[in-house]
Amino acid sequence: MERRSFLRAAVVGAGSAAFGFSVTREALAYPAKTGPSPYGSLLPADANGIMLPSGFTSRVIARSTQTVAGTGYVWHSAPDGGACFADGTGWIYVSNSEISGSGGASAIRFDANATITGAYRILSGTNRNCAGGATPWNTWISCEEVDTGYCWETDPTGVKPAVRRAAMGRFNHEAAACDPVRKVVYLTEDKTDGGFYRFVPTVWGDLSAGTLQVLKNDLTWATVPDPDGSPTTTRKQVSGMKVFNGGEGAYYRNDKCYFTTKGDNKVWVYDAAANTLQTVYDDDLTSNPPLTGVDNITADAHVGDLFVAEDGGNMEICVITPTDVVAPFLRVTGQSASELCGVAFNPAGNRLYFSSQRGTTGSSSGGITYEVTGPFRTGL
């Protein structure tokens, strides 16, 4: 009942709001409905076991416990959340490692022709680094998915040492998304009764100090009295906190933070300018839902398609268009004991990276990281 009543209220208030990716965007029609993909149907699996639309190709760029081609670096196990960063004429793909007790994060460097030129570790000795988020000042926030987890700020180039950002709270962190307009960092929590947080740095661009807040049912933000989470966990400290069932990926663009919750298989959007919360996707509210096990989320740089990876389901990355159609973009075959994660576009938006965390073996040591190229949409 709560889900339905909340959704009805959200949709009623959504009629004239812009989607946020373009000033020419149509009015909202949330939640997204099952429909044809703008990229067309999936073709039979390629040599890497990936079903893609016409015109797209895949390649393996790294395998867990094996040396990254052209480098002397052994890729980490259980690759998870990731992001891309510009690097001169090339770029860097950063990937977390969701391994208990060691975790950390690694990076792969590409030149302008997408040739791998290096790979290296940027974070070590942490615990179950799941997702995270890029900052506007080109660092990677790597989040620990444990009850006493921290956020770690890392340098994608590997030059500067990683720094623990204790002021961002100690809880079961999942993802982070930076809002440069309000100068805050949104944070999700992977718990069945988790919160949706924002960290307000004392100085924007410096995550060493600030205030941790959590969203309440009335869509106001309340300060968390003890961000350290002891003896009372952060999600139990504020009365009237809005509860989210298993917070996962987060992505910010144009005043809006999109985030997923795996417990109820939803994609949400928090519109910070309007201070509204709406449901972008709910598998209970469309026929033959293609997207289940929602996890990491990103968007393309051109038209605003959302790309959501599945933890389970059909091992797909699904696309949600600005016109609120949801459909599979790709499917990984022969890896049903794995999950997809780390979806991220390179700066030009013509290459998509992602990982299958446990690959064909179903083991964390069997992770595979991929690159997909092809005619990604550049306009409607």
Side-chain angles (χ1 to χ4, degrees):
M1 291 296 293
E2 189 274 334
R3 292 179 70 196
R4 299 302 186 269
S5 61
F6 174 79
L7 180 63
R8 283 194 294 270
V11 172
V12 167
S16 61
F19 188 83
F21 291 97
S22 167
V23 294
T24 61
R25 225 11 103 229
E26 297 180 12
L28 287 176
Y30 296 145
K33 302 295 185 183
T34 304
S37 169
Y39 292 101
S41 301
L42 301 183
L43 300 178
D46 64 10
N48 294 318
I50 302 179
M51 299 173 64
L52 291 161
S54 178
F56 287 86
T57 59
S58 72
R59 70 163 171 162
V60 174
I61 63 168
R63 292 181 183 271
S64 296
T65 72
Q66 297 184 25
T67 301
V68 178
T71 78
Y73 183 74
V74 176
W75 195 236
H76 57 259
S77 293
D80 205 285
C84 281
F85 298 84
D87 180 49
T89 58
W91 59 92
I92 296 169
Y93 177 67
V94 167
S95 171
N96 281 342
S97 174
E98 195 184 9
I99 292 292
S100 297
S102 56
S106 302
I108 298 177
R109 179 176 269 124
F110 301 84
D111 67 13
N113 297 315
T115 301
I116 295 174
T117 61
Y120 45 90
R121 174 71 66 157
I122 63 172
L123 177 64
S124 299
T126 51
N127 196 2
R128 285 183 58 86
N129 294 78
C130 196
T135 69
W137 48 94
N138 294 318
T139 60
W140 167 249
I141 302 171
S142 183
C143 297
E144 292 181 307
E145 190 193 15
V146 291
D147 286 342
T148 54
Y150 288 106
C151 289
W152 294 80
E153 189 171 15
T154 68
D155 176 12
T157 69
V159 174
K160 297 179 180 179
V163 181
R164 188 177 70 185
R165 297 305 189 189
M168 299 181 75
R170 198 173 189 190
F171 55 87
N172 208 70
H173 283 280
E174 180 71 30
C178 291
D179 177 348
V181 178
R182 278 141 291 272
K183 299 180 179 180
V184 302
V185 182
Y186 301 107
L187 301 164
T188 57
E189 181 177 26
D190 192 358
K191 284 287 188 180
T192 56
D193 58 347
F196 180 58
Y197 301 84
R198 71 178 186 184
F199 177 67
V200 188
T202 303
V203 177
W204 185 238
D206 181 355
L207 302 178
S208 64
T211 303
L212 182 68
Q213 299 178 327
V214 69
L215 189 68
K216 298 181 64 175
N217 287 314
D218 61 1
L219 299 191
T220 60
W221 293 93
T223 296
V224 177
D226 179 18
D228 185 65
S230 61
T232 305
T233 60
T234 55
R235 68 185 184 279
K236 302 295 185 182
Q237 294 182 24
V238 173
S239 176
M241 183 193 83
K242 174 66 180 173
V243 172
F244 293 92
N245 189 352
E248 289 286 341
Y251 180 86
Y252 171 89
R253 183 167 176 174
N254 292 359
D255 293 324
K256 296 174 178 62
C257 183
Y258 300 88
F259 62 101
T260 63
T261 49
K262 65 182 179 184
D264 49 13
N265 214 53
K266 283 187 175 185
V267 179
W268 304 81
V269 58
Y270 172 69
D271 185 326
N275 195 41
T276 59
L277 182 68
Q278 300 169 25
T279 305
V280 176
Y281 173 79
D282 182 340
D283 67 333
D284 288 340
L285 298 176
T286 187
S287 60
N288 301 314
L291 176 58
T292 57
V294 297
D295 204 305
N296 292 174
I297 184 171
T298 193
D300 80 287
H302 301 290
V303 300
D305 289 328
L306 296 172
F307 288 77
V308 186
E310 289 187 332
D311 178 355
N314 290 328
M315 285 287 288
E316 293 176 341
I317 293 176
C318 288
V319 59
I320 302 176
T321 72
T323 52
D324 303 304
V325 172
V326 58
F329 169 71
L330 66 77
R331 180 183 302 160
V332 176
T333 64
Q335 301 185 32
S336 59
S338 186
E339 64 181 86
L340 301 186
C341 45
V343 287
F345 281 95
N346 71 333
N350 60 0
R351 297 175 186 270
L352 177 69
Y353 295 91
F354 73 96
S355 292
S356 172
Q357 189 177 89
R358 296 176 292 280
T360 58
T361 68
S363 168
S364 60
S365 62
I368 309 171
T369 301
Y370 299 96
E371 175 192 83
V372 170
T373 59
F376 287 101
R377 301 208 293 168
T378 58
L380 292 178

